[in-house]
Amino acid sequence: MARRSKIVSGLLMTGALMVTSLGVGGMALNANAAQETQSSGSTSAAHTSHVMAASTLASAEDPDGDGYIPADPPVTGVEPSTKEPPHRYFHEFQAHCTVTHTRPDDPIVYPGQPGKSHDHTFMGNTTTDANSTTASLDAGSTTCLAPGDKSGYWMPTMLNGDKPVLPVGEQTIYYKAGVTDYTSVRPFPKGLRFVVGSPMQTAQEFRDHRGFVEGWECGTSYFNVDFPKDCPTTADTQLNIRFQAPSCWDGKYLDTPDHKSHMAYPVVVPGTNNNACPADHPVALPMIEFKMAFPVNGDLSQLRLASGPSYSFHYDFFNAWDAPTLKALVDHCVVGGLQCDPRGYDQSHPEAGAALDENYELP
């Protein structure tokens, strides 16, 4: 506790002018955003005008209000695995979830502060709002195909002019192995939460982000940092993005003041092409990848995000999976080296069967 107190004290000293209005989580986020902007040396005028509000409350699950939510129990005695299991091209399953609502809330960054965030588009759990906790999500319902997935997934709302552009139908959220030893991946701990990317990131930071896969894409235009200028007007053409989350956990905290430090991306094992978790984040978890499709094409000149320009894209994840259901999918599909649908079924390996029944529940 002394170590964390010193960190918080340091933040309070460096942010003396904001002491009366900033909570720990908000301070850390804004301090990081300022540091990122200074290091990049550039940002757009439009982005400069988007200022993050200060968080003034800690999560109801934060026992002492310092921004750290400890895992109970913590995961100890784990070393990053550098093993190289039999090669399997796939080790993943999918969650299919639909949009539930939009709201200017964020229970991770602004817990207990409704209306303080920029507008978000929520998927999965139907009850997610500023006051959401692990228990409240557990008690909620879900639009994901698997009833056991009561997790909250959200991202900044897309706007075309002032009109919201919401993904229609099932959106795909991949759960993959981010490390070479896919057999070392274990399920998310209940209540784990994190933010991927930042609404304050610059265009270059977005492009250089470890989670950047194909950027914004539409038709034959790929790897865009800005929204494509033109998008084919065919009926089935949509604007897409794919973005990956860190998959290595410190084993200690379900959340930290900046909502990121308890998670890390895999690193390359020296002398190899293999990926493993870093020593300070040794626990391999599934790597989430958002694959979102927005029903907009043609002239995209008026397109923006509620958080700012295209490169302010980020998303949040709050794990509220039923633990046995998640474990069954991770063990069968990720550890088992399969390419599974939301039932945990791989069409290329029918002999392996499915992890869930026809109702997407444990048999």
Side-chain angles (χ1 to χ4, degrees), residues 78-83 176-186 188 210 245-251 262-270 272 274-287:
V78 176
E79 296 290 335
S81 176
T82 56
K83 294 179 181 178
K176 302 181 175 184
V179 293
T180 299
D181 184 9
Y182 54 86
T183 67
S184 68
V185 176
R186 62 179 70 194
F188 291 115
R210 290 287 306 279
S247 60
C248 297
W249 179 43
D250 66 7
H262 54 309
M263 301 295 297
Y265 285 90
V267 296
V268 176
V269 178
T272 75
N274 296 340
N275 291 323
C277 285
D280 55 355
H281 292 75
V283 185
L285 302 176
M287 181 190 72

